[in-house]
Amino acid sequence: DVQLVESGGGLVQPGGSLRLSCVASGFTFSSYEMNWFRQAPGKGLEWVSYIGSNGISIYYADSLKGRFTISRDNAKNSLFLQMISLRADDTAVYYCASRALTTSDGFDVWGHGTIVTVSS
Amino acid sequence: SYELTQPLSVSVSPGQTATITCSGHELGEKYVCWYQQKSGQSPVLVIHQDDKRPAGIPERFSGSNSGNTATLTISGTQAMDEADYYCQAWESTSVVFGGGTKLTVL
């Protein structure tokens, strides 16, 4: 079965750092574009970052540039999100998702999410 | 920055047709996707490329996109369709979501 499993979330103090991971299984990870999204409590979906299948093309939401870094290790079927200088408004469920894995477009496979709480 | 606007809420009776709109400047020139998110769950892609249903999505879900408005239509709405729905498009190298519409099946 196609599956994405996030980990690495937790409670972190303002100004702290955290590294999220997303492990893929059931498909050829190296062939697909990947993304991070987040959803603050009671709020809508927000796109965080995109990375191309070979890791060369990388895009970020304008509001996050400079604090978040996306990367991937195709040999380990893993996607990462390094987050620094975390703020209270970064508190959210963070999801990884593939693009156009089972369809020709759209974010079609999502993980279950990992919760990041930024609080003192 | 590009914005997509959705109604906050839509209500529908079981068996009736639910229509959720998504508005954006010249949205018809972009591909639109729609996601369903039930309470406490991850989003699910229900429509991609304006009007295509992924495998496993019921035929009662359909989409269209023209001018400045994309529309998600759920025909014969069922109680299980109660969820938040988000439209999404690409603007250059950024992904944009609408604010979400809460669909209530009364």
Side-chain angles (χ1 to χ4, degrees), chain B residues 31-100:
Chain B
Y31 277 135
V32 172
C33 296
W34 289 91
Y35 300 84
Q36 175 194 68
Q37 187 179 32
K38 296 182 179 179
S39 181
Q41 298 183 19
S42 301
V44 173
L45 178 69
V46 294
I47 292 290
H48 68 100
Q49 283 189 323
D50 296 339
D51 57 7
K52 295 178 175 54
R53 278 179 293 103
I57 300 302
E59 291 185 9
R60 63 180 181 274
F61 288 87
S62 63
S64 63
N65 184 22
S66 179
N68 294 319
T69 304
T71 302
L72 173 69
T73 302
I74 309 173
S75 304
T77 306
Q78 300 182 10
M80 69 173 65
D81 300 329
E82 187 162 285
D84 294 326
Y85 290 85
Y86 297 90
C87 60
Q88 173 260 312
W90 282 85
E91 169 63 8
S92 183
T93 56
S94 293
V95 175
V96 181
F97 284 101

Side-chain angles (χ1 to χ4, degrees), chain A residues 49-104:
Chain A
S49 184
Y50 159 101
I51 187 167
S53 59
N54 57 12
I56 294 177
S57 295
I58 287 176
Y59 313 132
Y60 296 99
D62 286 343
S63 61
L64 300 173
K65 282 180 183 174
R67 294 195 302 123
F68 288 16
T69 302
I70 192 172
S71 62
R72 64 191 297 163
D73 183 341
N74 285 340
K76 296 183 178 179
N77 293 336
S78 295
L79 174 72
F80 305 102
L81 186 68
Q82 178 70 49
M83 305 184 294
I84 66 171
S85 303
L86 285 164
R87 310 185 302 226
D89 62 0
D90 294 317
T91 294
V93 178
Y94 285 73
Y95 297 99
C96 63
S98 63
R99 178 172 179 267
L101 193 164
T102 62
T103 61
S104 57

Side-chain angles (χ1 to χ4, degrees), chain A residues 39-52:
Chain A
Q39 187 169 35
K43 302 298 184 181
L45 295 172
E46 180 184 14
W47 172 70
V48 171
S49 184
Y50 159 101
I51 187 167

